[in-house]
Amino acid sequence: AIQLTQSPSSLSASVGDRVTITCRASQGISSALAWYQQKPGKAPKLLIYDASSLESGVPSRFSGSGSGTDFTLTISSLQPEDFATYYCQQFNNYLGGFTFGPGTKVDIK
Amino acid sequence: QVQLQESGPGLVKPSETLSLTCAVSGYSISSGYYWGWIRQPPGKGLEWIGSIYHSGSTYYNPSLKSRVTISVDTSKNQFSLKLSSVTAADTAVYYCARVGGDYGSGSYNFDYWGQGTLVTVSS
């Protein structure tokens, strides 16, 4: 199966900060990567698909980039409602199906 | 607006079978898309369990495949999960979700989610 790793596992940031989270795949996955935001007690919410496409209704301060094995999620100016855990996810039909990264928790500095 | 709602027992005994149902509203399962189950142990990350197409075609996580059965009932617009021989390690919040994305390129994601239901495995 394709493994996803995320760094950092957690970070502390202030409102207005630029935040970057990295996701690395154990094998190349082209641009087939999605990012989710999860708040405590809630279901994950799709933010980015195809590595860089913004899901409808998601604020433009969120952006994604990368292809192959290295991907990033960037929040250009962190807002109070952005404190949450972020997960990356990929799908490979031949290598285990869907996998998620271990998550990156973003909390208040 | 597509909505999903999980239902089922919140407590299951070890060695028994966990059974959950996901009712879909706002979209007919018969119209297409894969539909899936994902779980999250308390304080931990997300794990995909398996997915099903309206035709009944299934795809399971290899690590759970021997214990998982996912089925669909298009007449009730719902799909179901059965996980057999459960242990405490199966205690988790179970989510159902729609598999969205580009079916042509195989770039899939989960675009609509249920609220999740906590299932505890304990005697």
Side-chain angles (χ1 to χ4, degrees):
Chain A
I2 294 178
Q3 307 296 323
L4 296 176
T5 56
Q6 288 183 234
S7 60
S9 56
S10 65
L11 66 90
S12 295
S14 301
V15 172
D17 284 352
R18 181 182 181 87
V19 169
T20 298
I21 299 168
T22 296
C23 178
R24 177 164 289 174
S26 60
Q27 298 183 50
I29 57 172
S30 186
S31 300
L33 188 97
W35 289 96
Y36 300 83
Q37 175 193 67
Q38 187 180 33
K39 296 181 180 180
K42 299 294 187 180
K45 173 187 175 183
L46 179 65
L47 299 176
I48 301 285
Y49 62 94
D50 289 348
S52 60
S53 296
L54 194 67
E55 176 72 349
S56 177
V58 174
S60 59
R61 62 181 179 273
F62 291 92
S63 64
S65 65
S67 66
T69 59
D70 295 313
F71 302 86
T72 59
L73 172 70
T74 300
I75 310 172
S76 60
S77 177
L78 198 66
Q79 297 301 300
E81 61 268 30
D82 301 336
F83 292 97
T85 300
Y86 294 85
Y87 294 93
C88 56
Q89 168 257 307
Q90 68 83 38
F91 173 83
N92 187 290
N93 190 38
Y94 304 105
L95 292 173
F98 291 95
T99 53
F100 291 89
T104 295
K105 184 176 181 180
V106 177
D107 61 21
I108 301 172
K109 195 172 192 177
Chain B
Q1 177 75 346
V2 180
Q3 293 184 314
L4 299 92
Q5 179 67 58
E6 306 89 351
S7 63
L11 181 64
V12 180
K13 289 182 168 55
S15 79
E16 295 189 345
T17 296
L18 177 159
S19 297
L20 296 174
T21 296
C22 181
V24 179
S25 59
Y27 188 85
S28 172
I29 287 180
S30 298
S31 296
Y33 287 101
Y34 271 88
W35 304 82
W37 290 96
I38 302 101
R39 70 180 183 178
Q40 184 172 37
K44 296 187 178 180
L46 300 162
E47 180 181 36
W48 169 69
I49 300 169
S51 298
I52 190 165
Y53 199 54
H54 66 85
S55 62
S57 173
T58 54
Y59 193 46
Y60 297 139
N61 184 325
S63 69
L64 297 169
K65 185 176 183 178
S66 64
R67 299 194 292 129
V68 173
T69 301
I70 297 176
S71 58
V72 64
D73 186 339
T74 54
S75 67
K76 294 182 179 179
N77 214 39
Q78 63 186 34
F79 59 103
S80 299
L81 167 71
K82 291 188 185 298
L83 181 66
S84 63
S85 305
V86 298
T87 69
D90 295 309
T91 293
V93 174
Y94 285 75
Y95 295 100
C96 58
R98 190 180 81 169
V99 179
D102 186 342
Y103 277 53
S105 68
S107 181
Y108 298 111
N109 53 63
F110 297 101
D111 57 359
Y112 290 95
W113 295 67
Q115 65 186 22
T117 187
L118 174 63
V119 179
T120 301
V121 178
S122 175
S123 55

